[in-house]
Structure formats: structure tokens, C-alpha cells
Amino acid sequence: MKPHVVGQPRPKGRGLLFVILTFPAAFSPVCTKELCTIRDNMSIMNKANAEVIAISVDQPWALKAFKEANRLNFTLLSDFNRQFIEKYGLVLEDLLGLKKLAKRAAFILDDQGIVRYKWVSDDPRNEPPYKEILNLVAAINVSKSGGCG
């Protein structure tokens, strides 16, 4: 089954990349900074033909409010039932009394669904290595297109 692609049509001749982010809680300071940093770098993601999807266990309406409040220009998904984080070992057991949140993580999947990059933090205060992720997204795109960018 092909994934549903959200957003604008992609340039022909280049494979779609997926950048999957998991984060503990909408509206928390570190999560807000993380997702706003990604928002502010979406031109790099778009140029590299990367679709960004951010996942948390927040309820859908909380994610909708979070997306609107921060003008996030990518997809947010609710894993309210925790199926995704449990399946992929991304459960943060306890954060200040909140149980079974998503660990902060970042993955890059190529157009074949192969995980090309994985970063997972057991400490929710750690932000992902943005520069490393952005550089790798661009590099994967260049190597797949056979050009210089």
C-alpha cells in the first residue's frame, strides 16, 4: 500500500523522503522549539523532496491547536493509543508524572521505506541534531537525483 502524500506535488525524477519526528508533548518548551526549528527550515526539506511528519501521543485537537498556534507547515499525527511508539520502542515511561509519552526521535526514510537515519534520545530535554538531519536529507536527495542539487 502506497503512503498518502500530504502537501504539494513533488518534482519528477526525485524520490520522496520522509522525515519522521516523534516528540513528547505539544506546547512544551523543547517540543515547541524543535518543531518551530523544523518549520523554519522547511525550504530545505521541500528542496530535498522531504515530507515531514511529527508524531506525539497528544489528542488530535491539541495537535491542531499546537499546529495553528505555531504556524507549523507540515503534518502532525496523534498516536493517542500509543501503537506507533510501542511498536517502535519509542516509549518515554515517565516525564514529570506523565506516563508513556513519545521519546524525542528523528528518522529519515527513503522512497523505498529504508531507514537511512535514526536518532533517539532517552532525555526529552535533548533536541535533535538539526544540522545533521538537514545535511543528510539534502545529501540523500543529491545522490538519488544524480546531480549537484
Side-chain angles (χ1 to χ4, degrees):
M1 185 166 114
K2 288 186 173 183
H4 174 69
V5 179
V6 180
Q8 299 179 355
R10 301 299 178 185
K12 292 183 180 179
R14 291 181 161 170
L16 180 66
L17 298 176
F18 286 95
V19 176
I20 310 293
L21 306 167
T22 58
F23 64 99
F27 293 104
S28 65
V30 178
C31 296
T32 300
K33 183 178 179 195
E34 174 188 3
L35 297 185
C36 288
T37 298
I38 296 299
R39 174 202 65 204
D40 295 345
N41 285 284
M42 279 304 290
S43 63
I44 295 168
M45 297 291 194
N46 290 336
K47 184 177 179 185
N49 205 30
E51 186 76 31
V52 175
I53 301 170
I55 302 168
S56 80
V57 300
D58 292 295
Q59 295 182 0
W61 53 86
L63 289 177
K64 181 178 188 274
F66 182 58
K67 181 174 182 166
E68 290 171 358
N70 292 290
R71 300 178 323 278
L72 301 176
N73 51 0
F74 50 87
T75 301
L76 299 184
L77 295 178
S78 172
D79 185 29
F80 184 73
N81 292 322
R82 293 157 175 80
Q83 291 175 328
F84 182 85
I85 64 169
E86 288 176 358
K87 181 175 182 174
Y88 293 102
L90 299 171
V91 177
L92 181 62
E93 290 297 335
D94 184 272
L95 177 63
L96 304 172
L98 299 171
K99 306 296 184 192
K100 293 192 175 187
L101 299 178
K103 287 184 180 180
R104 191 174 315 285
F107 303 88
I108 300 172
L109 284 69
D110 67 15
D111 58 356
Q112 302 300 308
I114 297 170
V115 177
R116 302 287 298 268
Y117 176 84
K118 175 183 174 183
W119 176 88
V120 179
S121 178
D122 290 324
D123 184 344
R125 297 170 294 183
N126 291 340
E127 294 176 58
Y130 304 114
K131 190 172 185 176
E132 183 177 281
I133 292 167
L134 294 168
N135 288 341
L136 186 56
V137 164
I140 291 170
N141 186 51
V142 167
S143 70
K144 291 189 81 59
S145 68
C148 298

